[in-house]
């Protein structure tokens, strides 16, 4: 008998408790324990019904992901679920926290389900590159209906208990978990309720017209953009309609087996653990005391400042938004109101919630109004002198113990901190645009930033629903620093023979949310232009520097916001349209630089863009600017539209083989220029026969 599942009796109801911290994952010993406790409950003559519950903060959060990739030890989860489904006494799953993946599948194997109001259920396997492989794709449509099941299973979204009740996934909401579930079980006994097996409930799947699948599948394929698991999930759910239950389970197993072996699933599992690993800072112990953050303030009500203010309001933290003029403030608050109103119009927020959030954002015009804030984030123009003035002003008004943060995307955090008398309270908080949407938050550690400020900022990032990664203080930090050589390769390839649409097309088809030129147009080409001007004095003059981007900026074309950049954006549309004028400009720029244009293959485009990221990522690692290779992957997947199912640039390097990547980098170095000097870390790892994953493990 394992200790991670225990059995006890309360009156005529036997209670089976899964106790496998932190999230009651279905590790081998839990699966065995579930079988043992079921046998005990069935053999217990005093028990007429059974309740299954999770100890601690949650019900079962799914299969144990750490067991994936190894041969699965018996008992198999499907067998456990079947045993519960065939139990001769009614079994009630009592859900609190989250019932996810295999956890919900176990609950669907029980005869009835109750949940507390705050609970959530979901089948998020799709996000791990797999499908619910323990009957979820066959049982969920039988309780929730095919359409709702497809939506939940292909997106992985969590459904709150109230909605789960409406959908028929749970049978009742209870106030108190165990007493509520026991009372529910007693009621079942009193009513002589049947042993209701989900596999037999085929009313909803029979009512569904399979002719609808074709159009629905097309929509899933389109939204998946190259990711296999949403399509596999969809196909498996269709089997619940087109095949008998047992055959549907077999179909589910076949698709599951194909998906779990795929590189996509390995990549997504890598990112799942990488995101959590990034929270661990080796020299900042997890028990470092944190500062309370009850109120916040933002300086600058522009696009970034407004978005950051929304993050705090969304998390229920009152935030003051400072601007220099009433006009700028009203404009900023108007944009925030408009953003919320759009979300309300789409049905994703209630008017009441919007009013509450707007009520938490207070516009102010005077620095003195910031004196009580626990954290103040500066989001003003990206110019060192301006930032320094702002921080000097902050130093004189902020209360002792307040965190002073800069949303700079490239500038030296130490230089900014030096304009205050308290550099230990200064940190970089690099949000990504739009700040209320993009999950990444690069936290930039200055030379004097205290552990307490780092620990508080990491915790705060989670509170405001961000994915934080701690990085070092260098020009561009990690994400934008890597973007620099990536962008340079893209631009150099324009001069050598490619066109923006070709480069963007290759990267987008490979899975990126957008290619480098579309991204530049979206972010604003003037941003990079300003940075290039700042760096011009210090850049290497033995290298050739392309000027296409500068020429486009000189024409006043800054991208989407001016309706023209590398592309045209007609009638306010965000869809890039090729502009022959820019193609002409590129051809002439090649001529002016004395470069003979040639055919550039898609393979070369992909390699030069991807390997430029990998090489610079490795340099960030060897300089200690990134803590782990997996942190770099988190940065790219959560901040730069790198597809999570590709696992990030460093994961890709391992997948391709670091030796092969190095060979290509060396080839580029010989054929192109010194930008391709291989990172020492890559050379060392290849010489030692190690990967980036080995490097992370060996830290
Ligand atoms: C599945 O079920 C397949 C089946 O269909 C069929 C198979 C045949 N396994 O996120 P947190 C760890 S696939 C192992 O920080 P939170 C996590 O790494 C699974 N470990 O907490 C972390 O470890 P550490 C489908 C897991 O409160 C610690 O627990 N289920 C698992 O913010 C705390 O996690 C999912 O995809 C796991 N399943 O969020 C659910 N889950 O402290 C995945 C977590 O060492 N999990 N850990 O870094 C989640 O979404 C969140 O963890 C959850 C809690 C919402 C549960």
């Amino acid at each position: 008998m394992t200790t991670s599942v225990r059995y006890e009796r309360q009156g005529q109801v036997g209670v089976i408790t899964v106790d496998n911290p932190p999230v009651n994952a279905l590790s081998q010993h839990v699966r065995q324990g579930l079988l043992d406790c079921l046998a005990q409950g069935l053999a217990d003559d005093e028990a007429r019904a059974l309740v299954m519950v999770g100890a601690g903060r949650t019900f079962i959060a799914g299969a144990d992901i750490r067991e994936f990739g190894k041969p699965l030890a018996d008992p198999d989860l499907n067998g456990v679920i079947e045993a519960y489904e065939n139990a001769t006494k009614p079994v009630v799953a009592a859900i609190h926290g989250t019932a996810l993946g295999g956890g919900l599948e176990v609950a669907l194997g029980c005869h009835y389900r109750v949940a507390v109001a705050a609970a959530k259920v979901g089948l998020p396997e799709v996000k791990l590159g797999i499908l619910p492989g323990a009957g979820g794709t066959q049982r969920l449509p039988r309780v929730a209906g095919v359409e709702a099941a497809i939506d939940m299973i292909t997106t992985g979204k969590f459904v709150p208990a109230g909605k789960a009740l409406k959908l028929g996934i749970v049978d009742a909401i209870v106030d108190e978990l165990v007493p509520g579930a026991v009372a529910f079980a007693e009621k079942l006994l009193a009513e002589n309720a049947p042993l209701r097996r989900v596999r037999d409930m085929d009313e909803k799947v029979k009512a569904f017209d399979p002719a609808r699948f074709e159009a629905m599948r097309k929509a899933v394929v389109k939204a998946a953009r190259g990711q296999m698991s949403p399509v596999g999930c969809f196909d498996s759910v269709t089997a619940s309609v087109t095949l008998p239950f047992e055959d549907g389970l077999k179909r589910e197993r076949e698709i599951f087996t194909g998906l779990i072996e795929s590189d996509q699933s390995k990549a997504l599992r890598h990112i799942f653990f990488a995101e959590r690993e990034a929270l661990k800072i080796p020299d900042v112990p997890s028990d470092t005391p944190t500062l309370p953050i009850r109120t916040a303030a933002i300086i600058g009500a522009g696009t970034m400042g407004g978005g950051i203010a929304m993050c705090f309001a969304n998390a229920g933290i009152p935030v003051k938004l400072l601007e220099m003029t009433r006009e700028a403030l009203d404009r900023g608050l108007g944009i925030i109101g408009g953003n919320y109103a759009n979300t309300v119009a789409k049905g994703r927020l209630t008017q009441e919630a919007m009013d509450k959030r707007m009520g938490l954002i207070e516009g102010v015009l005077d620095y003195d109004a910031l004196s009580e804030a626990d954290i103040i984030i500066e989001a003003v123009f990206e110019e060192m002198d301006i930032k320094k003035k702002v921080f000097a002003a902050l130093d004189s008004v902020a209360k002792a113990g307040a965190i002073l943060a800069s949303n700079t995307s490239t500038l030296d955090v130490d230089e900014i901190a030096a304009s205050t008398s308290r550099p230990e309270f200064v940190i970089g908080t690099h949000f990504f645009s739009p700040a209320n949407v993009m999950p990444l938050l690069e936290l930039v550690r200055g030379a004097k930033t205290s552990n307490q400020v780092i620990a508080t900022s990491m915790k705060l990032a989670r509170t405001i629903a961000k994915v934080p990664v701690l990085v070092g203080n260098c020009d561009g930090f990690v994400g934008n620093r890597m973007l620099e050589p990536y962008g340079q390769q893209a631009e150099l390839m324009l001069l050598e023979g490619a066109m923006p649409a070709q480069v963007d097309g290759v990267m987008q088809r490979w899975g990126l949310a957008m290619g480098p030129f579309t991204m530049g147009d979206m972010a604003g080409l003037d941003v990079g232009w300003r940075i290039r001007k700042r760096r011009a004095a210090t850049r290497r003059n033995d290298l050739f520097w392309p000027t296409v981007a500068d020429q486009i900026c000189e024409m006043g074309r800054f991208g989407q916001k001016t309706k023209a950049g590398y592309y045209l954006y007609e009638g306010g549309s965000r869809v890039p349209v090729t502009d022959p004028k820019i193609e002409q400009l590129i051809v002439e720029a090649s001529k002016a630089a004395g470069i003979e244009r040639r055919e550039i293959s898609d393979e070369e485009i992909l390699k030069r863009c991807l390997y430029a990221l990998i090489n610079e990522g490795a340099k960030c690692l060897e300089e200690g600017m990134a803590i782990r290779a997996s942190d770099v992957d988190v940065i790219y997947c959560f901040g730069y539209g790198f597809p999570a199912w590709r696992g990030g640039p460093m994961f890709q390097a391992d997948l391709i083989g670091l030796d092969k990547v190095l060979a290509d980098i060396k080839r580029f170095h010989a054929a192109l220029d010194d930008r391709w000097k291989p990172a020492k870390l890559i050379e060392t790892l290849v010489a030692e026969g190690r990967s980036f994953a080995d490097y992370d493990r060996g830290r």
Side-chain angles (χ1 to χ4, degrees):
M1 184 76 57
T2 68
T3 52
S4 45
V5 188
R6 56 179 183 267
Y7 176 80
E8 70 207 344
R9 200 162 36 70
Q10 294 194 12
Q12 53 180 346
V13 178
V15 178
I16 296 170
T17 304
V18 179
D19 190 359
N20 186 29
V23 296
N24 294 326
L26 291 156
S27 318
Q28 188 278 336
H29 51 97
V30 173
R31 300 196 296 275
Q32 187 59 53
L34 281 170
L35 282 183
D36 294 344
C37 286
L38 176 65
Q40 202 179 343
L42 294 179
D44 181 352
D45 291 339
E46 307 280 308
R48 294 180 57 218
L50 302 172
V51 160
M52 184 198 292
V53 67
R57 59 179 156 134
T58 185
F59 189 71
I60 301 166
D64 186 340
I65 307 167
R66 291 179 205 273
E67 288 182 358
F68 291 2
K70 303 172 199 155
L72 274 188
D74 281 342
D76 143 77
L77 186 56
N78 272 294
V80 174
I81 292 172
E82 208 171 314
Y84 274 83
E85 198 168 45
N86 290 330
T88 49
K89 297 177 183 176
V91 189
V92 178
I95 301 170
H96 74 302
T98 48
L100 299 177
L104 179 57
E105 290 175 300
V106 168
L108 289 169
C110 298
H111 302 116
Y112 297 90
R113 288 154 294 284
V114 298
V116 294
K120 288 182 183 150
V121 302
L123 292 175
E125 285 89 339
V126 67
K127 296 184 192 163
L128 297 168
I130 55 173
L131 54 69
T137 66
Q138 304 307 299
R139 288 192 181 87
L140 188 65
R142 282 176 160 78
V143 293
V146 178
E147 213 156 341
I150 286 176
D151 183 38
M152 277 177 70
I153 297 175
T154 60
T155 64
K157 66 170 71 142
F158 296 178
V159 167
K163 188 168 175 204
L165 179 69
K166 277 192 203 129
L167 286 171
I169 303 171
V170 301
D171 301 295
I173 304 289
V174 293
D175 290 334
E176 280 181 279
L177 188 65
V178 177
V182 168
F184 186 89
E186 283 166 344
K187 191 161 159 268
L188 291 175
L189 292 173
E191 290 169 358
N192 214 5
L195 296 173
R196 195 191 56 180
R197 304 191 314 169
V198 171
R199 66 166 65 211
D200 302 326
M201 300 165 61
D202 52 10
E203 222 171 273
K204 288 187 176 171
V205 287
K206 274 194 177 145
F208 189 84
D209 177 5
R212 294 178 58 201
F213 281 144
E214 197 182 326
M216 289 170 92
R217 190 176 195 277
K218 276 194 187 135
V220 172
V221 171
K222 189 166 178 228
R225 297 194 58 242
Q227 188 177 334
M228 294 172 347
S229 56
V231 185
C233 285
F234 181 88
D235 289 345
S236 192
V237 176
T238 63
S240 70
V241 175
T242 57
L243 297 175
F245 183 79
E246 281 299 334
D247 293 344
L249 278 189
K250 278 192 201 128
R251 179 85 185 107
E252 178 187 275
R253 176 64 22 186
E254 277 163 22
I255 306 177
F256 177 84
T257 308
L259 288 175
I260 201 160
E261 296 296 331
S262 69
D263 288 341
Q264 291 198 3
S265 175
K266 286 177 198 147
L268 286 160
R269 271 139 48 195
H270 162 75
I271 285 297
F272 176 85
F273 288 117
E275 182 189 342
R276 286 154 180 86
E277 202 58 26
L279 301 174
K280 298 164 192 160
I281 314 298
D283 62 335
V284 181
S286 57
D287 58 357
T288 303
T290 54
L291 297 157
I293 303 288
R294 295 189 195 97
T295 60
I298 316 293
I299 304 179
T303 316
M304 270 328 255
I308 300 170
M310 288 173 79
C311 296
F312 282 92
N314 295 351
I317 300 174
V319 54
K320 292 195 164 135
L321 190 57
L322 175 78
E323 256 302 346
M324 293 302 103
T325 65
R326 165 62 54 194
E327 197 195 352
L329 185 59
D330 288 346
R331 197 180 328 117
L333 288 171
I335 292 171
I336 294 174
N339 284 342
Y340 278 135
N342 279 341
T343 319
V344 172
K346 285 179 194 150
R348 286 197 251 129
L349 190 72
T350 61
Q351 184 64 44
E352 194 190 348
M354 165 175 166
D355 294 344
K356 199 169 160 206
R357 290 179 193 192
M358 282 305 286
L360 287 170
I361 304 175
E362 183 192 346
V364 295
L365 292 164
D366 193 336
Y367 269 91
D368 287 340
L370 313 185
S371 61
E372 288 309 310
D374 295 316
I375 181 168
I376 306 175
I377 301 178
E378 158 280 308
V380 302
F381 199 67
E382 184 78 347
E383 201 80 70
M384 182 54 91
D385 286 344
I386 302 180
K387 304 252 183 207
K388 279 180 168 170
K389 278 188 194 124
V390 168
F391 272 77
L394 281 185
D395 196 26
S396 62
V397 295
K399 69 177 182 187
I403 294 181
L404 308 182
S406 171
N407 180 49
T408 176
S409 57
T410 51
L411 299 177
D412 183 349
V413 170
D414 289 332
E415 197 178 336
I416 295 173
S419 54
T420 73
S421 60
R422 38 179 145 171
E424 64 280 15
F425 282 96
V426 177
I427 190 164
T429 48
H430 179 205
F431 287 80
F432 289 73
S433 186
N436 53 315
V437 177
M438 292 300 285
L440 180 66
L441 178 57
E442 263 187 338
L443 291 174
V444 188
R445 172 184 213 159
K448 296 189 178 158
T449 310
S450 73
N451 278 4
Q452 194 178 32
V453 167
I454 292 172
T456 307
S457 305
M458 293 296 288
K459 186 172 164 206
L460 173 67
R462 303 276 286 163
T463 308
I464 60 170
K466 294 292 162 204
V467 175
V469 179
L470 187 71
V471 295
N473 180 29
C474 59
D475 198 348
F477 315 126
V478 171
N480 281 350
R481 171 172 161 177
M482 288 168 63
L483 203 60
E484 181 67 21
Y486 165 85
Q488 281 176 24
Q489 286 309 310
E491 223 195 312
L492 285 165
M493 284 189 280
L494 293 187
L495 291 180
E496 290 169 39
M499 283 297 165
Q502 186 195 358
V503 176
D504 283 346
V506 169
M507 298 314 289
Q508 222 174 328
R509 282 193 299 280
W510 192 72
L512 257 69
M514 57 187 89
F517 301 111
T518 318
M519 191 192 201
D521 275 359
M522 194 197 68
L525 297 179
D526 51 326
V527 180
W529 193 28
R530 213 171 27 247
I531 294 171
R532 282 193 299 281
K533 284 187 200 161
R534 173 167 64 78
R535 289 178 182 158
T538 51
R539 76 185 183 191
R540 287 174 61 169
N541 49 23
D542 60 326
L543 295 174
F544 168 72
W545 293 93
T547 56
V548 170
D550 295 343
Q551 287 179 56
I552 293 177
C553 288
E554 281 154 19
M555 292 159 77
R557 297 170 65 130
F558 296 154
Q560 281 187 18
K561 61 185 167 192
T562 58
K563 299 190 174 58
Y566 282 100
Y567 301 97
L568 287 173
Y569 299 89
E570 284 157 352
S573 153
R574 290 187 182 181
V575 181
V577 174
T578 295
D579 184 355
K581 223 202 262 176
I582 295 299
E583 297 203 330
Q584 182 66 25
L585 182 151
I586 291 168
V587 171
E588 278 164 17
S590 302
K591 215 183 284 169
I595 298 170
E596 195 175 329
R597 294 180 68 77
R598 63 184 168 92
E599 184 89 6
I600 305 220
S601 70
D602 290 358
E603 188 194 357
E604 179 175 345
I605 290 173
L606 176 61
K607 281 190 174 171
R608 283 176 65 179
C609 288
L610 181 62
Y611 294 4
L613 287 177
I614 295 168
N615 205 33
E616 196 64 31
K619 288 177 188 171
C620 290
L621 278 174
E622 69 193 27
E623 290 170 27
M625 294 300 154
I627 297 174
R628 321 168 175 84
S630 65
D631 285 5
V632 176
D633 289 335
V634 173
I635 289 174
Y636 262 75
C637 291
F638 288 97
Y640 292 86
F642 201 100
W645 53 269
R646 294 268 189 203
M650 314 313 265
F651 179 85
Q652 277 296 314
D654 280 358
L655 197 64
I656 296 163
L658 215 42
D659 53 341
K660 293 200 185 84
V661 173
L662 178 62
D664 276 326
I665 289 179
K666 282 184 170 166
R667 196 164 53 78
F668 291 143
H669 193 203
L672 299 165
D673 62 29
D674 204 38
R675 286 183 172 88
W676 283 103
K677 191 171 178 341
K680 275 198 205 75
L681 179 64
I682 299 186
E683 292 190 303
T684 310
L685 290 174
V686 170
E688 293 170 352
R690 295 167 71 217
S691 61
F692 283 127
D694 294 329
Y695 171 84
D696 282 358
R697 273 191 288 271
R699 290 192 65 265

